[in-house]
Amino acid sequence: MASSHRPWWGGIVVNGAIRDSAVIDGMEFGVRALGTNPRKSSKSGAGEADVTVEFGGVRFVPGEYLLSDHDGVVVSRTPVES
């Protein structure tokens, strides 16, 4: 994940496991991950921003919109009103 601040972000989607889920759950933005893992990971600082990625059969394109709840995520090319 890039370290640049994106003020319009309401959350992130992680194609992997997260650690410290109780702390993350208390943050002011949403995090959706495949699971949790108590082991600390190594960090290499590698990553890219503003690139298209695909996982779980879904293509995530910069500039598109993602909405999520506890049941899953939806990606849309246009804003979706709740």
Side-chain angles (χ1 to χ4, degrees):
M1 172 70 33
S3 63
S4 61
H5 177 66
R6 308 284 183 183
W8 58 89
W9 281 16
I12 62 171
V13 175
V14 179
N15 184 28
I18 60 171
R19 186 171 174 247
D20 298 325
S21 61
V23 173
I24 290 170
D25 192 43
M27 298 174 114
E28 293 187 20
F29 64 92
V31 176
R32 295 289 172 250
L34 295 177
T36 60
N37 187 335
R39 275 183 96 168
K40 187 172 183 173
S41 64
S42 61
K43 297 181 180 42
S44 65
E48 296 178 84
D50 299 320
V51 297
T52 299
V53 296
E54 186 172 339
F55 56 88
V58 179
R59 188 174 170 96
F60 298 88
V61 179
E64 291 188 350
Y65 299 86
L66 184 142
L67 292 93
S68 83
D69 63 14
H70 291 287
D71 297 319
V73 299
V74 174
V75 177
S76 174
R77 289 188 177 134
T78 59
V80 176
E81 299 212 16
S82 56

